[in-house]
Protein backbone atom coordinates (compact mmCIF):
# COMPACT_ATOMS: atom_id res chain seq x y z
CA UNK A 1 0.00 0.00 0.00
CA UNK A 2 1.36 3.40 -0.99
CA UNK A 3 2.06 6.15 1.50
CA UNK A 4 0.68 9.68 1.65
CA UNK A 5 2.45 12.92 0.82
CA UNK A 6 1.43 15.77 3.13
CA UNK A 7 1.91 19.41 2.17
CA UNK A 8 2.23 21.13 5.55
CA UNK A 9 2.14 24.95 5.81
CA UNK A 10 4.54 26.51 8.31
CA UNK A 11 4.34 29.96 9.94
CA UNK A 12 5.31 32.96 7.81
CA UNK A 13 6.20 34.82 11.01
CA UNK A 14 4.87 33.99 14.45
CA UNK A 15 5.55 30.37 15.45
CA UNK A 16 2.15 30.30 17.16
CA UNK A 17 0.51 30.28 13.72
CA UNK A 18 1.34 26.56 13.45
CA UNK A 19 -1.82 24.43 13.62
CA UNK A 20 -2.37 21.49 15.97
CA UNK A 21 -2.97 19.27 12.95
CA UNK A 22 0.29 20.33 11.31
CA UNK A 23 2.26 19.40 14.43
CA UNK A 24 0.45 16.05 14.65
CA UNK A 25 1.19 15.17 11.01
CA UNK A 26 4.87 16.13 11.30
CA UNK A 27 5.20 13.90 14.36
CA UNK A 28 3.66 10.91 12.56
CA UNK A 29 5.32 10.87 9.11
CA UNK A 30 8.42 8.83 8.34
CA UNK A 31 10.46 11.86 7.31
CA UNK A 32 10.14 15.53 6.40
CA UNK A 33 11.30 17.33 3.27
CA UNK A 34 12.42 20.92 3.85
CA UNK A 35 14.19 23.79 2.10
CA UNK A 36 16.78 24.47 4.79
CA UNK A 37 17.42 21.95 7.57
CA UNK A 38 18.72 24.69 9.88
CA UNK A 39 15.61 26.85 9.53
CA UNK A 40 13.21 23.91 9.80
CA UNK A 41 15.23 22.48 12.69
CA UNK A 42 14.32 25.52 14.80
CA UNK A 43 10.62 24.97 14.12
CA UNK A 44 10.74 21.24 14.84
CA UNK A 45 12.68 21.76 18.06
CA UNK A 46 10.11 24.31 19.23
CA UNK A 47 7.33 21.74 18.81
CA UNK A 48 9.41 18.77 20.03
CA UNK A 49 9.24 17.01 16.67
CA UNK A 50 12.07 14.53 16.17
CA UNK A 51 11.79 13.23 12.62
CA UNK A 52 14.51 12.95 9.97
CA UNK A 53 14.88 16.02 7.76
CA UNK A 54 15.82 15.74 4.09
CA UNK A 55 16.77 18.68 1.92
CA UNK A 56 14.32 19.53 -0.87
CA UNK A 57 14.74 22.90 -2.53
CA UNK A 58 14.72 24.64 -5.92
CA UNK A 59 18.22 23.46 -6.75
CA UNK A 60 17.75 19.74 -6.09
CA UNK A 61 14.03 19.07 -6.48
CA UNK A 62 14.39 17.49 -9.93
CA UNK A 63 16.89 14.94 -8.61
CA UNK A 64 15.14 14.41 -5.26
CA UNK A 65 11.62 13.93 -6.62
CA UNK A 66 12.20 10.42 -8.02
CA UNK A 67 13.47 9.15 -4.67
CA UNK A 68 10.52 10.65 -2.81
CA UNK A 69 8.05 9.07 -5.23
CA UNK A 70 9.79 5.73 -4.79
CA UNK A 71 9.54 6.00 -1.01
CA UNK A 72 5.84 6.83 -1.26
CA UNK A 73 5.28 3.83 -3.50
CA UNK A 74 7.01 1.72 -0.86
CA UNK A 75 4.49 2.82 1.75
CA UNK A 76 6.29 5.64 3.55
CA UNK A 77 4.33 8.70 4.67
CA UNK A 78 6.19 11.92 3.92
CA UNK A 79 5.64 15.60 4.70
CA UNK A 80 6.99 18.54 2.74
CA UNK A 81 7.44 21.95 4.37
CA UNK A 82 9.15 25.17 3.31
CA UNK A 83 10.97 27.87 5.25
CA UNK A 84 7.66 29.72 5.55
CA UNK A 85 4.17 29.37 4.13
CA UNK A 86 2.49 26.70 2.03
CA UNK A 87 4.66 24.40 -0.14
CA UNK A 88 4.10 24.98 -3.85
CA UNK A 89 3.06 28.64 -3.49
CA UNK A 90 6.15 30.43 -4.86
CA UNK A 91 8.18 27.70 -3.09
CA UNK A 92 9.25 24.13 -3.95
CA UNK A 93 6.46 21.58 -4.15
CA UNK A 94 4.86 21.77 -7.59
CA UNK A 95 7.17 19.25 -9.28
CA UNK A 96 6.58 16.75 -6.52
CA UNK A 97 2.81 17.29 -6.67
CA UNK A 98 2.85 16.75 -10.43
CA UNK A 99 4.95 13.58 -10.11
CA UNK A 100 2.56 12.19 -7.49
CA UNK A 101 -0.47 13.10 -9.58
CA UNK A 102 1.07 11.32 -12.58
CA UNK A 103 1.56 8.21 -10.44
CA UNK A 104 -1.89 8.56 -8.83
CA UNK A 105 -0.33 8.72 -5.36
CA UNK A 106 -2.36 10.17 -2.51
CA UNK A 107 -1.64 13.76 -1.49
CA UNK A 108 -3.14 15.87 1.29
CA UNK A 109 -2.52 19.60 1.67
CA UNK A 110 -3.27 21.02 5.10
CA UNK A 111 -4.84 24.49 5.20
CA UNK A 112 -2.65 27.08 6.83
CA UNK A 113 -0.30 29.99 6.50
CA UNK A 114 0.41 31.75 3.24
CA UNK A 115 1.50 35.37 2.99
CA UNK A 116 -0.76 36.67 0.26
CA UNK A 117 -4.11 35.91 1.94
CA UNK A 118 -3.72 38.24 4.96
CA UNK A 119 -2.18 40.89 2.69
CA UNK A 120 -5.18 40.72 0.36
CA UNK A 121 -7.70 40.83 3.21
CA UNK A 122 -6.22 43.91 4.93
CA UNK A 123 -5.56 45.75 1.66
CA UNK A 124 -9.14 47.01 1.55
CA UNK A 125 -9.07 46.38 -2.21
CA UNK A 126 -11.56 44.20 -4.11
CA UNK A 127 -10.88 40.55 -3.25
CA UNK A 128 -13.72 38.71 -4.99
CA UNK A 129 -11.68 38.26 -8.17
CA UNK A 130 -7.90 38.31 -7.96
CA UNK A 131 -4.83 37.12 -9.87
CA UNK A 132 -1.94 35.72 -7.85
CA UNK A 133 1.23 36.31 -9.89
CA UNK A 134 3.89 35.48 -7.28
CA UNK A 135 7.35 36.81 -8.08
CA UNK A 136 7.89 38.65 -11.36
CA UNK A 137 10.61 37.31 -13.70
CA UNK A 138 14.02 38.60 -12.64
CA UNK A 139 15.00 39.95 -16.06
CA UNK A 140 13.84 38.20 -19.22
CA UNK A 141 10.11 38.49 -19.71
CA UNK A 142 9.59 40.93 -16.85
CA UNK A 143 8.09 43.76 -18.91
CA UNK A 144 6.03 41.30 -20.95
CA UNK A 145 4.59 39.91 -17.71
CA UNK A 146 3.79 43.38 -16.38
CA UNK A 147 2.05 44.27 -19.63
CA UNK A 148 0.01 41.09 -19.38
CA UNK A 149 -0.94 41.81 -15.75
CA UNK A 150 -1.99 45.36 -16.63
CA UNK A 151 -4.54 43.88 -19.02
CA UNK A 152 -6.05 41.68 -16.30
CA UNK A 153 -9.07 43.48 -14.89
CA UNK A 154 -8.64 41.91 -11.47
CA UNK A 155 -6.84 42.67 -8.24
CA UNK A 156 -3.20 41.63 -8.80
CA UNK A 157 -1.05 40.08 -6.06
CA UNK A 158 2.74 40.11 -6.30
CA UNK A 159 5.61 38.99 -4.08
CA UNK A 160 8.75 41.10 -4.03
CA UNK A 161 12.09 41.28 -2.21
CA UNK A 162 13.26 44.47 -0.45
CA UNK A 163 16.13 45.17 -2.84
CA UNK A 164 13.83 45.18 -5.89
CA UNK A 165 10.78 46.89 -4.43
CA UNK A 166 11.56 50.42 -5.67
CA UNK A 167 12.13 49.21 -9.22
CA UNK A 168 8.96 47.14 -9.17
CA UNK A 169 6.83 50.02 -7.87
CA UNK A 170 8.17 52.31 -10.61
CA UNK A 171 7.34 49.65 -13.21
CA UNK A 172 3.82 49.23 -11.82
CA UNK A 173 3.35 52.99 -12.15
CA UNK A 174 4.54 52.81 -15.76
CA UNK A 175 2.29 49.92 -16.79
CA UNK A 176 -0.78 50.44 -14.56
CA UNK A 177 -0.93 54.23 -14.29
CA UNK A 178 0.01 56.77 -11.62
CA UNK A 179 -3.45 56.80 -9.98
CA UNK A 180 -3.47 53.04 -9.40
CA UNK A 181 -4.35 52.13 -5.82
CA UNK A 182 -2.00 49.70 -4.13
CA UNK A 183 -1.35 48.08 -0.76
CA UNK A 184 2.10 47.04 0.48
CA UNK A 185 2.37 44.53 3.33
CA UNK A 186 5.63 43.31 4.84
CA UNK A 187 6.83 41.23 7.78
CA UNK A 188 3.42 39.53 7.93
CA UNK A 189 2.75 37.87 11.29
CA UNK A 190 6.03 39.21 12.70
CA UNK A 191 6.78 41.83 15.34
CA UNK A 192 7.21 44.69 12.86
CA UNK A 193 4.30 43.78 10.55
CA UNK A 194 3.27 46.79 8.50
CA UNK A 195 0.76 47.60 5.77
CA UNK A 196 0.77 50.83 3.77
CA UNK A 197 -2.05 51.78 1.40
CA UNK A 198 -2.36 54.56 -1.18
CA UNK A 199 -1.78 55.44 -4.81
CA UNK A 200 1.25 53.98 -6.54
CA UNK A 201 2.93 57.41 -6.41
CA UNK A 202 2.37 57.60 -2.64
CA UNK A 203 3.76 54.09 -2.16
CA UNK A 204 6.85 54.96 -4.19
CA UNK A 205 7.48 57.95 -1.91
CA UNK A 206 6.93 55.73 1.15
CA UNK A 207 9.30 53.01 -0.10
CA UNK A 208 12.04 55.48 -0.95
CA UNK A 209 11.75 57.20 2.43
CA UNK A 210 12.90 54.14 4.40
CA UNK A 211 14.73 50.85 4.01
CA UNK A 212 12.12 48.11 3.85
CA UNK A 213 12.97 44.68 5.21
CA UNK A 214 11.35 41.26 4.94
CA UNK A 215 9.34 39.65 2.16
CA UNK A 216 6.86 42.08 0.66
CA UNK A 217 3.37 41.45 -0.72
CA UNK A 218 1.92 43.98 -3.15
CA UNK A 219 -1.83 44.11 -3.82
CA UNK A 220 -2.65 46.17 -6.90
CA UNK A 221 -6.18 47.37 -7.69
CA UNK A 222 -6.68 46.76 -11.40
CA UNK A 223 -10.35 45.76 -11.35
Amino acid sequence: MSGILYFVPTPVGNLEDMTFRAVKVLKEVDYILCEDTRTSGILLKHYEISKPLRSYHLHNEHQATDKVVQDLENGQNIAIITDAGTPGISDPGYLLAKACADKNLEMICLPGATAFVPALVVSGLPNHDFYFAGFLPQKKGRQTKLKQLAEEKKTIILYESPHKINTTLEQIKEFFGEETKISLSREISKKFEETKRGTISELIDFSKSKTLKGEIVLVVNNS
Side-chain angles (χ1 to χ4, degrees):
M1 183 176 179
S2 298
I4 301 172
L5 175 65
Y6 293 92
F7 292 81
V8 180
T10 54
V12 296
N14 194 319
L15 285 180
E16 293 181 3
D17 291 338
M18 195 75 168
T19 68
F20 290 110
R21 186 184 176 200
V23 173
K24 182 175 184 291
V25 167
L26 293 179
K27 286 184 175 181
E28 292 178 349
V29 294
D30 291 292
Y31 66 85
I32 301 167
L33 301 169
C34 66
E35 283 186 276
D36 188 321
T37 56
R38 294 165 299 180
T39 301
S40 296
I42 295 171
L43 177 72
L44 299 191
K45 182 178 180 181
H46 181 81
Y47 285 103
E48 299 180 344
I49 299 168
S50 55
K51 290 291 179 175
L53 284 173
R54 296 188 185 178
S55 181
Y56 189 90
H57 48 71
L58 290 173
H59 302 293
N60 78 343
E61 59 181 335
H62 286 86
Q63 297 88 341
T65 293
D66 289 343
K67 179 63 169 67
V68 176
V69 168
Q70 185 180 50
D71 288 342
L72 289 166
E73 290 176 328
N74 289 333
Q76 294 192 64
N77 293 320
I78 303 166
I80 177 171
I81 62 177
T82 63
D83 289 348
T86 300
I89 304 297
S90 293
D91 280 315
Y94 165 70
L95 284 179
L96 187 53
K98 182 179 185 303
C100 289
D102 290 344
K103 295 280 189 176
N104 202 30
L105 295 169
E106 185 175 358
M107 294 180 282
I108 296 175
C109 182
L110 279 60
T114 187
F116 80 82
V117 173
L120 175 61
V121 171
V122 303
S123 71
L125 298 174
N127 60 20
H128 63 284
D129 192 12
F130 61 88
Y131 184 116
F132 174 68
F135 286 97
L136 290 169
Q138 292 292 315
K139 293 180 181 178
K140 186 177 180 181
R142 188 178 178 90
Q143 293 199 351
T144 301
K145 184 64 175 181
L146 282 162
K147 184 178 180 180
Q148 174 198 331
L149 292 175
E151 294 171 355
E152 291 280 350
K153 296 308 175 185
K154 304 176 181 179
T155 297
I156 307 296
I157 303 170
L158 295 166
Y159 284 166
E160 193 51 274
S161 61
H163 71 280
K164 281 186 172 290
I165 187 61
N166 289 334
T167 298
T168 297
L169 290 172
E170 292 284 2
Q171 290 175 326
I172 289 174
K173 181 177 180 179
E174 175 186 351
F175 284 91
F176 289 76
E178 62 183 18
E179 294 304 315
T180 300
K181 290 185 178 179
I182 188 169
S183 174
L184 182 157
S185 295
R186 66 183 191 91
E187 299 280 72
I188 289 173
S189 191
K190 296 180 181 178
K191 182 178 180 180
F192 298 106
E193 179 175 347
E194 178 181 32
T195 294
K196 182 72 174 179
R197 308 170 191 86
T199 65
I200 184 62
S201 296
E202 290 171 337
L203 266 293
I204 288 172
D205 290 341
F206 165 74
S207 180
K208 289 182 176 179
S209 71
K210 59 191 300 185
T211 301
L212 300 181
K213 297 180 180 180
E215 185 175 277
I216 295 166
V217 185
L218 297 174
V219 183
V220 186
N221 183 15
N222 199 40
S223 58

